Amino acid sequence: MRTRCKETELLPGLDAPELRDILFFALQPPAELFPLIQRIDGYFRREFGLKGALFTPQRLHVSLCGVQPREGVSEALVDIFRRIGDSMAASPFDVVFDRAVSFARNGDKRAFVLRAGGDLVALIEFHHAMDAGMMRAGFHGRSSFLPHMTLLYDGRVVVEHEVETVRWTARDFVLLHSAPKKGQRQESYIERGRWPLKT
C-alpha cells in the first residue's frame, strides 16, 4: 500500500494525481460560500479566459491527509481511518483564503486554487496533529502542507492575485473516498465519516 499525505500531489511543480481511488481527510466549506466562489470564478473567466468547469459545491474541499491504496479502498482501511478520526481532538478554527493562483504541473491542466496570503496557524496545527495520528497508525507522515482549495483545472496560467476573502469556521472534518468510474473525467466523493470539532 502506498501511503502519503494527499496534499503533496498538488504542490507546485508536481503532477496532479490521475483518477484512481483515494481515501483522505478533508475540510469542506459551507454551501452558503458558493455564490462568492462563483463570483471569483466569473472574474477570472472574464479577465484570464479560464474555461475549466468550476467544481460543484460537493467537490470543494481542503485536503488534509490520505492514501492511494494500490488494491482499492477496503472496509478494513476505512475502519483504520475512522479510528484516526476518532482520535482527533481540536476546537473549531477559521479557514481564510484571500489569494487565487495557478499551481504549476506537467501536462495541459493546472489546478486553479484559492490559498492564504498569511499563515493559517490553527489549520496547520490540525494537519500536523492528523499527520501524527497517521504515523501512529503505521502510515508514513509528511511534514509539508500548503493549505489551498482547488476550484477548477485549466491550461491557462494565472499568477497570484488578491481576491475577495473566502472565510469560514471549520466545525467538522470528513473522511472522503474519491472513487473514479470508468469513462468519467472527474472523480466523485463518497463520505465515509464525519467528526465534529469541539470547544
Side-chain angles (χ1 to χ4, degrees), residues 6-7 10 16 27-31 33-45 48 50-63 95-103 109-116 146-156 158-159 161-168 186-187 189:
K6 179 175 182 285
E7 196 72 20
L10 297 181
L27 304 175
Q28 294 179 312
L33 282 178
F34 194 61
L36 170 56
I37 292 169
Q38 287 179 308
R39 290 201 301 272
I40 294 171
D41 171 72
Y43 170 80
F44 284 93
R45 288 180 187 278
F48 297 93
L50 297 182
K51 299 185 183 300
L54 177 64
F55 283 11
T56 63
Q58 295 75 24
R59 291 189 67 216
L60 291 171
H61 67 275
V62 179
S63 300
V95 179
V96 184
F97 294 129
D98 57 6
R99 301 287 192 276
V101 66
S102 296
F103 277 177
K109 297 295 182 184
R110 298 167 182 263
F112 178 67
V113 309
L114 297 180
R115 59 166 301 182
L146 183 61
H148 68 272
M149 182 166 65
T150 301
L151 302 186
L152 55 90
Y153 285 96
D154 194 279
R156 291 161 181 79
V158 179
V159 298
H161 282 70
E162 291 186 9
V163 296
E164 187 175 352
T165 300
V166 176
R167 179 193 300 267
W168 78 92
Q186 295 182 347
E187 70 275 6
Y189 295 148

Side-chain angles (χ1 to χ4, degrees), residues 1-198:
M1 179 184 297
R2 192 171 83 186
T3 65
R4 49 109 181 104
C5 279
K6 179 175 182 285
E7 196 72 20
T8 60
E9 288 210 342
L10 297 181
L11 290 175
L14 298 182
D15 290 337
E18 67 223 43
L19 294 182
R20 59 183 183 268
D21 283 290
I22 306 171
L23 188 67
F24 65 102
F25 291 107
L27 304 175
Q28 294 179 312
E32 55 264 28
L33 282 178
F34 194 61
L36 170 56
I37 292 169
Q38 287 179 308
R39 290 201 301 272
I40 294 171
D41 171 72
Y43 170 80
F44 284 93
R45 288 180 187 278
R46 293 190 301 272
E47 297 298 319
F48 297 93
L50 297 182
K51 299 185 183 300
L54 177 64
F55 283 11
T56 63
Q58 295 75 24
R59 291 189 67 216
L60 291 171
H61 67 275
V62 179
S63 300
L64 296 169
C65 292
V67 294
Q68 287 182 341
R70 291 191 181 94
E71 67 276 14
V73 172
S74 66
E75 285 305 312
L77 180 61
V78 172
D79 287 342
I80 293 171
F81 267 67
R82 285 174 176 156
R83 289 196 291 272
I84 295 170
D86 291 341
S87 73
M88 295 297 298
S91 298
F93 55 84
D94 286 345
V95 179
V96 184
F97 294 129
D98 57 6
R99 301 287 192 276
V101 66
S102 296
F103 277 177
R105 58 159 293 197
N106 296 326
D108 61 351
K109 297 295 182 184
R110 298 167 182 263
F112 178 67
V113 309
L114 297 180
R115 59 166 301 182
D119 291 332
L120 291 173
V121 175
L123 172 55
I124 292 170
E125 288 179 348
F126 184 69
H127 172 266
H128 286 169
M130 179 170 284
D131 199 47
M134 295 278 291
M135 288 189 285
R136 286 193 298 271
F139 300 101
H140 296 294
R142 291 291 183 93
S143 59
S144 59
F145 178 54
L146 183 61
H148 68 272
M149 182 166 65
T150 301
L151 302 186
L152 55 90
Y153 285 96
D154 194 279
R156 291 161 181 79
V157 178
V158 179
V159 298
E160 186 171 284
H161 282 70
E162 291 186 9
V163 296
E164 187 175 352
T165 300
V166 176
R167 179 193 300 267
W168 78 92
T169 299
R171 301 188 184 281
D172 58 18
F173 66 98
V174 296
L175 177 62
L176 298 176
H177 175 194
S178 173
K181 294 182 180 178
K182 189 174 181 179
Q184 289 185 343
R185 295 180 62 84
Q186 295 182 347
E187 70 275 6
S188 59
Y189 295 148
I190 303 168
E191 185 176 315
R192 304 304 299 269
R194 183 178 292 265
W195 295 264
L197 298 173
K198 301 176 181 178

